[in-house]
């Protein structure tokens, strides 16, 4: 009897416990790890991009290499990761919800409309809905990340050449969160959420659509290849971001509105803000930092999709094609889903 108990105890290893997790929990875990890993890899480029978007006059004239040297000189190596703690704190739940919601919406659509489970409509709709869901749950953390990244703080108390504001307004994530809430309440924590939602619906939908569509054209013998997944993810992120980038610029500008020069017009509403930015700074400002974003998006989306698919495989999550066949078959036969039986 004792031997049986010992055998059961030994059998319940962490790996076995993970495999016993419900499907949605596995997708949350895979998505969170994928998002956190990818975001950390591209954090330095993300910092430079935010400064291009919000401090255009100061940084665009120096270019990418000049901006990198400036941050290194005034803030040191850690300057490239300013705001990254908030970024990772946001991206882990965001990516977890984003990927999990995509899979759940996808299954729900297949169950409700079994005749349309194939084709681009499914990935576009499921991806768009999942993007909006993830944004609503995690937007305050994105706002905090932007405010922290916007600050330029010299490691010493001495003024550094070219530094506009040498005072650290926020001393960390919690301090920034508390002060932002005190200034504007819940509305303050969601400032700029409108252009985010307007942008995330097409971007998330297109990103998943392009990724899944490209994978369908990969020869079967290369389906599990890391390089194939990286390539599909890179192109998916590149194409999806191109169509929605001006909305991201508007979002960043709205998030740091309080810190912009007093002669800047107040940004209200997504479309009006786009027009105001174009009138004040020219249409090029709406694409400020796009070249850096291309450099960032390629590895970020590629790594994110690749790590997510790899984690799904390790966690024994069924592929989307297998899930599609199972859901539609169960719908037509009236049999319960295998995960419900478990």
């Amino acid at each position: 009897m004792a031997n049986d108990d010992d055998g059961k105890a030994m059998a319940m290893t962490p790996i076995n416990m993970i495999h016993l997790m419900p499907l949605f929990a596995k997708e949350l875990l895979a998505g969170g790890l994928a998002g956190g890993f990818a975001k950390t890899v591209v954090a330095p480029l993300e910092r430079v991009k935010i400064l291009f978007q919000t401090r255009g006059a100061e940084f665009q004239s120096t270019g990418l290499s000049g901006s990198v040297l400036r941050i290194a000189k005034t803030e040191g190596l850690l300057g490239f990761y300013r705001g990254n703690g908030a970024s990772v704190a946001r991206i882990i739940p965001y990516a977890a919800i984003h990927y999990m919601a995509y899979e759940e919406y996808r299954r729900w659509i297949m169950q409700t409309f079994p005749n349309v489970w194939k084709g681009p409509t499914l990935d576009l709709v499921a991806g768009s809905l999942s993007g909006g869901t993830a944004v609503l749950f995690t937007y305050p953390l994105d706002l905090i990340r932007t405010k922290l990244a916007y600050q330029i703080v010299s490691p010493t108390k001495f003024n550094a050449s070219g530094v506009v504001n040498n005072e650290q307004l926020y001393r960390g994530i919690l301090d920034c969160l508390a002060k932002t809430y005190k200034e504007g309440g819940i509305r303050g924590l969601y400032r700029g959420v409108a252009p985010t939602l307007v942008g995330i619906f097409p971007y998330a939908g297109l990103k998943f659509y392009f990724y899944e569509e490209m994978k369908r054209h990969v020869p079967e013998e290369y389906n599990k290849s890391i390089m194939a997944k990286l390539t599909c993810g890179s192109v998916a992120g590149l194409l999806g971001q191109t169509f929605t980038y001006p909305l991201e610029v508007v979002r960043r500008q709205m998030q740091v509105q309080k810190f912009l020069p007093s002669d800047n017009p107040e940004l209200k509403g997504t479309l009006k803000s786009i027009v105001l930015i174009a009138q004040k700074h020219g249409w090029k400002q709406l694409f400020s930092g796009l070249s850096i974003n291309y450099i960032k998006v390629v590895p970020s989306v590629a790594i994110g999709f690749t790590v997510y698919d790899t984690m799904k495989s390790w966690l024994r999550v069924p592929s989307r094609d297998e899930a599609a066949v199972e859901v539609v078959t169960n719908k037509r036969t009236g049999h319960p889903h295998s995960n419900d039986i478990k």
Side-chain angles (χ1 to χ4, degrees):
M1 206 57 149
N3 290 334
D4 290 341
D5 292 337
D6 291 341
K8 290 179 180 179
M10 292 178 63
M12 289 302 292
T13 62
I15 293 179
N16 287 338
M17 291 177 65
I18 289 175
H19 291 326
L20 291 174
M21 291 167 58
L23 183 59
F24 79 91
K26 293 180 180 180
E27 291 163 352
L28 280 171
L29 177 61
L33 289 173
F37 184 76
K39 181 62 69 174
T40 301
V41 170
V42 301
L45 287 169
E46 179 74 10
R47 174 81 201 285
V48 176
K49 185 197 74 173
I50 289 176
L51 291 174
F52 262 66
Q53 291 175 332
T54 58
R55 293 179 179 266
E58 301 169 55
F59 282 85
Q60 289 178 19
S61 60
T62 62
L64 175 59
S65 59
S67 298
V68 170
L69 291 173
R70 179 177 176 181
I71 294 173
K73 181 180 178 181
T74 59
E75 302 181 68
L77 180 62
L78 292 179
F80 292 102
Y81 289 88
R82 183 173 298 282
N84 188 55
S87 182
V88 172
R90 164 195 168 266
I91 201 63
I92 289 178
Y94 173 84
I97 294 171
H98 190 17
Y99 283 108
M100 184 275 292
Y102 168 74
E103 305 286 4
E104 292 296 323
Y105 280 128
R106 202 172 190 272
R107 282 191 287 271
W108 176 79
I109 292 171
M110 287 189 294
Q111 289 175 337
T112 309
F113 309 101
N115 295 326
V116 297
W117 70 270
K118 287 184 178 180
T121 304
L122 178 60
D123 293 310
L124 281 169
V125 174
S128 298
L129 291 174
S130 66
T133 301
V135 163
L136 289 175
F137 274 97
T138 62
Y139 184 79
L141 287 170
D142 181 53
L143 176 70
I144 300 307
R145 183 273 303 265
T146 301
K147 287 190 172 186
L148 290 173
Y150 178 79
Q151 295 182 133
I152 300 177
V153 184
S154 174
T156 68
K157 296 295 182 181
F158 298 101
N159 288 328
S161 177
V163 175
V164 175
N165 186 357
N166 203 39
E167 294 297 324
Q168 187 169 3
L169 299 177
Y170 302 115
R171 300 184 180 279
I173 298 173
L174 294 179
D175 181 53
C176 186
L177 186 65
K179 288 181 178 178
T180 302
Y181 179 78
K182 185 177 180 181
E183 292 166 0
I186 296 296
R187 290 186 64 180
L189 291 174
Y190 278 86
R191 184 175 180 83
V193 72
T196 303
L197 288 173
V198 172
I200 198 63
F201 278 112
Y203 173 65
L206 289 171
K207 182 178 69 173
F208 276 104
Y209 165 68
F210 286 131
Y211 182 66
E212 294 300 324
E213 191 63 25
M214 288 190 67
K215 279 178 34 177
R216 292 187 186 103
H217 292 85
V218 174
E220 189 173 348
E221 60 269 25
Y222 297 109
N223 267 340
K224 295 184 178 180
S225 166
I226 297 294
M227 187 55 65
K229 292 177 181 177
L230 284 170
T231 302
C232 292
S234 299
V235 177
L238 201 65
L239 294 175
Q241 183 77 131
T242 301
F243 294 108
T244 59
Y245 189 77
L247 293 168
E248 182 178 349
V249 174
V250 171
R251 170 169 60 110
R252 298 296 184 200
Q253 294 270 4
M254 292 180 73
Q255 288 175 338
V256 299
Q257 177 72 50
K258 176 185 174 183
F259 310 108
L260 293 175
S262 58
D263 62 338
N264 272 45
E266 185 177 359
L267 303 179
K268 292 183 177 180
T270 304
L271 294 179
K272 288 183 179 179
S273 296
I274 290 176
V275 174
L276 283 173
I277 292 174
Q279 289 176 342
K280 180 73 176 179
H281 304 287
W283 289 102
K284 287 186 178 181
Q285 180 65 23
L286 292 172
F287 293 90
S288 176
L290 181 57
S291 58
I292 298 175
N293 209 53
Y294 280 149
I295 299 172
K296 185 208 77 169
V297 163
V298 169
S300 179
V301 178
I303 292 171
F305 272 127
T306 302
V307 173
Y308 178 66
D309 277 352
T310 302
M311 284 297 299
K312 280 179 60 182
S313 177
W314 184 71
L315 293 170
R316 298 178 184 175
V317 175
S319 69
R320 294 187 183 101
D321 288 338
E322 292 171 344
V325 172
E326 183 178 1
V327 167
V328 174
T329 301
N330 291 333
K331 179 73 175 179
R332 289 172 177 170
T333 60
H335 294 158
H337 194 279
S338 59
N339 285 313
D340 296 332
I341 297 176
K342 294 176 182 177

